[in-house]
Short mmCIF file of all heavy atoms in Angstrom, two decimals:
data_model
loop_
_atom_site.label_atom_id
_atom_site.label_comp_id
_atom_site.label_asym_id
_atom_site.label_seq_id
_atom_site.Cartn_x
_atom_site.Cartn_y
_atom_site.Cartn_z
N GLY A 1 -11.52 -4.24 -0.46
CA GLY A 1 -12.49 -3.15 -0.38
C GLY A 1 -12.17 -2.03 -1.35
O GLY A 1 -13.06 -1.44 -1.97
N LEU A 2 -10.87 -1.74 -1.52
CA LEU A 2 -10.45 -0.71 -2.48
C LEU A 2 -10.78 -1.14 -3.90
O LEU A 2 -11.24 -0.32 -4.71
CB LEU A 2 -8.95 -0.45 -2.32
CG LEU A 2 -8.36 0.62 -3.23
CD1 LEU A 2 -9.00 1.98 -2.96
CD2 LEU A 2 -6.84 0.71 -3.04
N ALA A 3 -10.55 -2.40 -4.22
CA ALA A 3 -10.90 -2.90 -5.55
C ALA A 3 -12.41 -2.79 -5.79
O ALA A 3 -12.85 -2.41 -6.88
CB ALA A 3 -10.43 -4.35 -5.70
N PHE A 4 -13.19 -3.11 -4.77
CA PHE A 4 -14.64 -2.99 -4.91
C PHE A 4 -15.05 -1.52 -5.07
O PHE A 4 -15.99 -1.22 -5.82
CB PHE A 4 -15.33 -3.59 -3.69
CG PHE A 4 -15.31 -5.10 -3.65
CD1 PHE A 4 -15.68 -5.79 -2.51
CD2 PHE A 4 -14.90 -5.83 -4.76
CE1 PHE A 4 -15.67 -7.18 -2.48
CE2 PHE A 4 -14.88 -7.22 -4.74
CZ PHE A 4 -15.26 -7.89 -3.60
N ALA A 5 -14.38 -0.62 -4.37
CA ALA A 5 -14.67 0.81 -4.53
C ALA A 5 -14.42 1.25 -5.97
O ALA A 5 -15.19 2.04 -6.53
CB ALA A 5 -13.83 1.64 -3.56
N ALA A 6 -13.35 0.75 -6.56
CA ALA A 6 -13.05 1.08 -7.95
C ALA A 6 -14.15 0.56 -8.88
O ALA A 6 -14.58 1.25 -9.81
CB ALA A 6 -11.70 0.50 -8.34
N LEU A 7 -14.61 -0.67 -8.62
CA LEU A 7 -15.68 -1.23 -9.45
C LEU A 7 -16.98 -0.44 -9.28
O LEU A 7 -17.68 -0.16 -10.26
CB LEU A 7 -15.91 -2.69 -9.07
CG LEU A 7 -14.81 -3.67 -9.47
CD1 LEU A 7 -15.06 -5.05 -8.87
CD2 LEU A 7 -14.70 -3.78 -11.00
N LEU A 8 -17.30 -0.06 -8.06
CA LEU A 8 -18.53 0.70 -7.81
C LEU A 8 -18.45 2.09 -8.41
O LEU A 8 -19.46 2.63 -8.88
CB LEU A 8 -18.81 0.76 -6.31
CG LEU A 8 -19.19 -0.58 -5.68
CD1 LEU A 8 -19.22 -0.46 -4.17
CD2 LEU A 8 -20.53 -1.07 -6.20
N ALA A 9 -17.27 2.68 -8.40
CA ALA A 9 -17.10 3.98 -9.04
C ALA A 9 -17.37 3.89 -10.54
O ALA A 9 -17.79 4.87 -11.17
CB ALA A 9 -15.69 4.52 -8.79
N GLY A 10 -17.13 2.71 -11.10
CA GLY A 10 -17.44 2.47 -12.50
C GLY A 10 -18.80 1.85 -12.72
O GLY A 10 -19.09 1.36 -13.81
N GLU A 11 -19.64 1.84 -11.65
CA GLU A 11 -21.02 1.34 -11.72
C GLU A 11 -21.08 -0.15 -12.09
O GLU A 11 -21.98 -0.58 -12.80
CB GLU A 11 -21.85 2.17 -12.69
CG GLU A 11 -21.95 3.64 -12.30
CD GLU A 11 -22.83 4.44 -13.24
OE1 GLU A 11 -23.30 3.87 -14.25
OE2 GLU A 11 -23.04 5.63 -12.96
N ARG A 12 -20.14 -0.91 -11.57
CA ARG A 12 -20.11 -2.35 -11.82
C ARG A 12 -20.50 -3.11 -10.55
O ARG A 12 -19.72 -3.86 -9.97
CB ARG A 12 -18.73 -2.77 -12.32
CG ARG A 12 -18.35 -2.12 -13.64
CD ARG A 12 -16.97 -2.51 -14.09
NE ARG A 12 -16.63 -1.88 -15.36
CZ ARG A 12 -15.45 -2.00 -15.96
NH1 ARG A 12 -14.49 -2.74 -15.40
NH2 ARG A 12 -15.21 -1.40 -17.11
N THR A 13 -21.74 -2.92 -10.15
CA THR A 13 -22.23 -3.53 -8.92
C THR A 13 -22.21 -5.05 -8.99
O THR A 13 -21.79 -5.73 -8.05
CB THR A 13 -23.66 -3.05 -8.64
OG1 THR A 13 -23.66 -1.62 -8.57
CG2 THR A 13 -24.19 -3.63 -7.35
N SER A 14 -22.64 -5.60 -10.11
CA SER A 14 -22.71 -7.05 -10.24
C SER A 14 -21.34 -7.70 -10.10
O SER A 14 -21.22 -8.80 -9.56
CB SER A 14 -23.33 -7.44 -11.58
OG SER A 14 -24.66 -6.96 -11.67
N ALA A 15 -20.30 -7.01 -10.59
CA ALA A 15 -18.96 -7.57 -10.51
C ALA A 15 -18.53 -7.76 -9.06
O ALA A 15 -17.84 -8.74 -8.73
CB ALA A 15 -17.97 -6.66 -11.24
N VAL A 16 -18.94 -6.85 -8.17
CA VAL A 16 -18.60 -6.98 -6.75
C VAL A 16 -19.20 -8.26 -6.18
O VAL A 16 -18.52 -9.03 -5.49
CB VAL A 16 -19.12 -5.76 -5.97
CG1 VAL A 16 -18.94 -5.97 -4.46
CG2 VAL A 16 -18.38 -4.50 -6.41
N LEU A 17 -20.47 -8.50 -6.49
CA LEU A 17 -21.13 -9.68 -5.95
C LEU A 17 -20.55 -10.97 -6.54
O LEU A 17 -20.41 -11.98 -5.84
CB LEU A 17 -22.63 -9.59 -6.22
CG LEU A 17 -23.32 -8.35 -5.64
CD1 LEU A 17 -24.81 -8.36 -5.99
CD2 LEU A 17 -23.13 -8.27 -4.13
N VAL A 18 -20.20 -10.94 -7.82
CA VAL A 18 -19.62 -12.13 -8.46
C VAL A 18 -18.26 -12.45 -7.85
O VAL A 18 -17.96 -13.62 -7.56
CB VAL A 18 -19.49 -11.91 -9.98
CG1 VAL A 18 -18.66 -13.02 -10.62
CG2 VAL A 18 -20.87 -11.85 -10.63
N ILE A 19 -17.43 -11.43 -7.63
CA ILE A 19 -16.11 -11.66 -7.04
C ILE A 19 -16.25 -12.22 -5.62
O ILE A 19 -15.50 -13.11 -5.22
CB ILE A 19 -15.29 -10.36 -7.04
CG1 ILE A 19 -14.93 -9.97 -8.47
CG2 ILE A 19 -14.03 -10.50 -6.19
CD1 ILE A 19 -14.29 -8.61 -8.60
N CYS A 20 -17.22 -11.71 -4.87
CA CYS A 20 -17.47 -12.25 -3.52
C CYS A 20 -17.81 -13.73 -3.58
O CYS A 20 -17.33 -14.53 -2.78
CB CYS A 20 -18.61 -11.48 -2.85
SG CYS A 20 -18.17 -9.81 -2.31
N ALA A 21 -18.65 -14.10 -4.56
CA ALA A 21 -19.04 -15.51 -4.69
C ALA A 21 -17.84 -16.38 -5.04
O ALA A 21 -17.67 -17.48 -4.48
CB ALA A 21 -20.13 -15.63 -5.76
N ILE A 22 -17.00 -15.90 -5.94
CA ILE A 22 -15.81 -16.67 -6.33
C ILE A 22 -14.86 -16.83 -5.14
O ILE A 22 -14.32 -17.91 -4.89
CB ILE A 22 -15.09 -15.97 -7.50
CG1 ILE A 22 -15.96 -16.02 -8.75
CG2 ILE A 22 -13.74 -16.63 -7.78
CD1 ILE A 22 -15.44 -15.19 -9.91
N LEU A 23 -14.67 -15.75 -4.40
CA LEU A 23 -13.79 -15.81 -3.22
C LEU A 23 -14.32 -16.82 -2.20
O LEU A 23 -13.55 -17.65 -1.68
CB LEU A 23 -13.69 -14.43 -2.59
CG LEU A 23 -12.77 -14.26 -1.37
CD1 LEU A 23 -12.20 -12.84 -1.35
CD2 LEU A 23 -13.51 -14.51 -0.06
N LEU A 24 -15.61 -16.77 -1.92
CA LEU A 24 -16.18 -17.70 -0.94
C LEU A 24 -16.05 -19.14 -1.40
O LEU A 24 -15.75 -20.04 -0.61
CB LEU A 24 -17.64 -17.34 -0.69
CG LEU A 24 -17.89 -16.07 0.12
CD1 LEU A 24 -19.38 -15.72 0.12
CD2 LEU A 24 -17.39 -16.22 1.54
N PHE A 25 -16.27 -19.39 -2.69
CA PHE A 25 -16.14 -20.76 -3.21
C PHE A 25 -14.71 -21.24 -3.08
O PHE A 25 -14.46 -22.39 -2.68
CB PHE A 25 -16.59 -20.81 -4.67
CG PHE A 25 -16.44 -22.18 -5.28
CD1 PHE A 25 -17.35 -23.18 -4.99
CD2 PHE A 25 -15.38 -22.46 -6.13
CE1 PHE A 25 -17.21 -24.46 -5.53
CE2 PHE A 25 -15.23 -23.73 -6.68
CZ PHE A 25 -16.15 -24.72 -6.39
N GLY A 26 -13.74 -20.37 -3.41
CA GLY A 26 -12.35 -20.77 -3.30
C GLY A 26 -11.96 -21.10 -1.87
O GLY A 26 -11.24 -22.07 -1.62
N VAL A 27 -12.43 -20.31 -0.91
CA VAL A 27 -12.12 -20.59 0.49
C VAL A 27 -12.81 -21.87 0.94
O VAL A 27 -12.22 -22.69 1.65
CB VAL A 27 -12.55 -19.40 1.39
CG1 VAL A 27 -12.38 -19.76 2.86
CG2 VAL A 27 -11.73 -18.16 1.05
N LEU A 28 -14.06 -22.07 0.51
CA LEU A 28 -14.80 -23.26 0.91
C LEU A 28 -14.08 -24.53 0.47
O LEU A 28 -14.04 -25.52 1.22
CB LEU A 28 -16.21 -23.22 0.31
CG LEU A 28 -17.14 -24.38 0.67
CD1 LEU A 28 -17.38 -24.44 2.17
CD2 LEU A 28 -18.46 -24.26 -0.08
N VAL A 29 -13.51 -24.51 -0.71
CA VAL A 29 -12.79 -25.68 -1.21
C VAL A 29 -11.60 -26.02 -0.32
O VAL A 29 -11.26 -27.19 -0.13
CB VAL A 29 -12.32 -25.43 -2.66
CG1 VAL A 29 -11.35 -26.51 -3.12
CG2 VAL A 29 -13.53 -25.37 -3.60
N MET A 30 -10.97 -25.00 0.26
CA MET A 30 -9.74 -25.21 1.02
C MET A 30 -9.96 -25.31 2.53
O MET A 30 -9.03 -25.61 3.26
CB MET A 30 -8.75 -24.07 0.74
CG MET A 30 -8.28 -23.99 -0.70
SD MET A 30 -7.63 -25.56 -1.33
CE MET A 30 -6.32 -25.90 -0.15
N VAL A 31 -11.18 -25.04 3.01
CA VAL A 31 -11.43 -25.09 4.45
C VAL A 31 -11.34 -26.53 4.95
O VAL A 31 -11.84 -27.45 4.32
CB VAL A 31 -12.81 -24.48 4.78
CG1 VAL A 31 -13.24 -24.85 6.19
CG2 VAL A 31 -12.74 -22.97 4.67
N ARG A 32 -10.72 -26.69 6.13
CA ARG A 32 -10.48 -28.03 6.65
C ARG A 32 -11.08 -28.25 8.05
O ARG A 32 -10.69 -29.18 8.74
CB ARG A 32 -8.97 -28.29 6.72
CG ARG A 32 -8.27 -28.30 5.36
CD ARG A 32 -8.74 -29.47 4.50
NE ARG A 32 -8.06 -29.53 3.22
CZ ARG A 32 -8.54 -29.01 2.09
NH1 ARG A 32 -9.73 -28.40 2.10
NH2 ARG A 32 -7.87 -29.12 0.96
N ASN A 33 -12.03 -27.42 8.46
CA ASN A 33 -12.69 -27.67 9.76
C ASN A 33 -14.16 -27.30 9.66
O ASN A 33 -14.58 -26.52 8.79
CB ASN A 33 -11.99 -26.91 10.89
CG ASN A 33 -12.15 -25.40 10.77
OD1 ASN A 33 -12.06 -24.85 9.69
ND2 ASN A 33 -12.38 -24.73 11.90
N ALA A 34 -14.96 -27.86 10.57
CA ALA A 34 -16.42 -27.73 10.49
C ALA A 34 -16.87 -26.28 10.67
O ALA A 34 -17.75 -25.81 9.94
CB ALA A 34 -17.08 -28.63 11.54
N TYR A 35 -16.30 -25.58 11.65
CA TYR A 35 -16.72 -24.20 11.86
C TYR A 35 -16.39 -23.34 10.64
O TYR A 35 -17.15 -22.46 10.28
CB TYR A 35 -16.07 -23.60 13.11
CG TYR A 35 -16.56 -22.19 13.36
CD1 TYR A 35 -17.75 -21.96 14.02
CD2 TYR A 35 -15.83 -21.09 12.88
CE1 TYR A 35 -18.22 -20.67 14.23
CE2 TYR A 35 -16.30 -19.79 13.09
CZ TYR A 35 -17.49 -19.59 13.76
OH TYR A 35 -17.96 -18.31 13.94
N GLY A 36 -15.26 -23.61 10.03
CA GLY A 36 -14.89 -22.88 8.83
C GLY A 36 -15.90 -23.08 7.72
O GLY A 36 -16.30 -22.13 7.04
N VAL A 37 -16.32 -24.32 7.52
CA VAL A 37 -17.33 -24.61 6.50
C VAL A 37 -18.62 -23.87 6.82
O VAL A 37 -19.24 -23.26 5.95
CB VAL A 37 -17.58 -26.12 6.40
CG1 VAL A 37 -18.78 -26.42 5.50
CG2 VAL A 37 -16.34 -26.84 5.88
N LEU A 38 -19.05 -23.93 8.09
CA LEU A 38 -20.28 -23.26 8.51
C LEU A 38 -20.19 -21.76 8.25
O LEU A 38 -21.13 -21.14 7.72
CB LEU A 38 -20.54 -23.53 9.99
CG LEU A 38 -21.76 -22.82 10.60
CD1 LEU A 38 -23.04 -23.30 9.94
CD2 LEU A 38 -21.80 -23.04 12.11
N SER A 39 -19.08 -21.15 8.62
CA SER A 39 -18.90 -19.71 8.46
C SER A 39 -18.99 -19.30 7.00
O SER A 39 -19.68 -18.33 6.64
CB SER A 39 -17.55 -19.29 9.05
OG SER A 39 -17.34 -17.91 8.91
N VAL A 40 -18.32 -20.03 6.14
CA VAL A 40 -18.32 -19.69 4.71
C VAL A 40 -19.69 -19.95 4.09
O VAL A 40 -20.18 -19.14 3.29
CB VAL A 40 -17.23 -20.50 3.97
CG1 VAL A 40 -17.31 -20.24 2.47
CG2 VAL A 40 -15.86 -20.12 4.50
N VAL A 41 -20.34 -21.04 4.47
CA VAL A 41 -21.66 -21.37 3.90
C VAL A 41 -22.70 -20.34 4.30
O VAL A 41 -23.50 -19.88 3.47
CB VAL A 41 -22.09 -22.79 4.33
CG1 VAL A 41 -23.57 -23.03 3.99
CG2 VAL A 41 -21.22 -23.83 3.63
N VAL A 42 -22.71 -19.94 5.57
CA VAL A 42 -23.68 -18.93 6.02
C VAL A 42 -23.46 -17.62 5.28
O VAL A 42 -24.41 -16.97 4.82
CB VAL A 42 -23.57 -18.73 7.55
CG1 VAL A 42 -24.38 -17.51 7.98
CG2 VAL A 42 -24.07 -19.97 8.27
N THR A 43 -22.20 -17.20 5.14
CA THR A 43 -21.90 -15.98 4.40
C THR A 43 -22.34 -16.11 2.95
O THR A 43 -22.90 -15.18 2.36
CB THR A 43 -20.39 -15.67 4.47
OG1 THR A 43 -19.98 -15.62 5.84
CG2 THR A 43 -20.08 -14.35 3.80
N GLY A 44 -22.10 -17.28 2.36
CA GLY A 44 -22.49 -17.51 0.97
C GLY A 44 -23.99 -17.50 0.78
O GLY A 44 -24.50 -16.98 -0.23
N LEU A 45 -24.73 -18.04 1.74
CA LEU A 45 -26.19 -18.04 1.63
C LEU A 45 -26.75 -16.63 1.69
O LEU A 45 -27.70 -16.29 0.98
CB LEU A 45 -26.80 -18.90 2.75
CG LEU A 45 -26.61 -20.41 2.60
CD1 LEU A 45 -27.14 -21.13 3.84
CD2 LEU A 45 -27.31 -20.93 1.35
N LEU A 46 -26.17 -15.79 2.54
CA LEU A 46 -26.59 -14.39 2.61
C LEU A 46 -26.32 -13.69 1.28
O LEU A 46 -27.18 -12.97 0.75
CB LEU A 46 -25.86 -13.67 3.74
CG LEU A 46 -26.11 -12.16 3.86
CD1 LEU A 46 -27.58 -11.87 4.11
CD2 LEU A 46 -25.24 -11.55 4.97
#
């Protein structure tokens, strides 16, 4: 959240959303249970 605050202070809104997408993809690759996949996919779709 602090890193995102720094990006937003520099008016880099798109970078926040891109980093969120990368983080979700990385977690999705490593998730090993069905609920975990569902949780990450729903968050990613939003």
Side-chain angles (χ1 to χ4, degrees):
L2 181 61
F4 286 169
L7 290 172
L8 292 170
E11 300 183 355
R12 298 178 179 177
T13 303
S14 298
V16 172
L17 302 179
V18 170
I19 292 172
C20 287
I22 293 172
L23 182 150
L24 288 172
F25 178 76
V27 173
L28 182 62
V29 169
M30 296 308 303
V31 165
R32 296 294 182 264
N33 67 319
Y35 183 83
V37 171
L38 177 64
S39 180
V40 175
V41 168
V42 169
T43 305
L45 288 175
L46 175 61

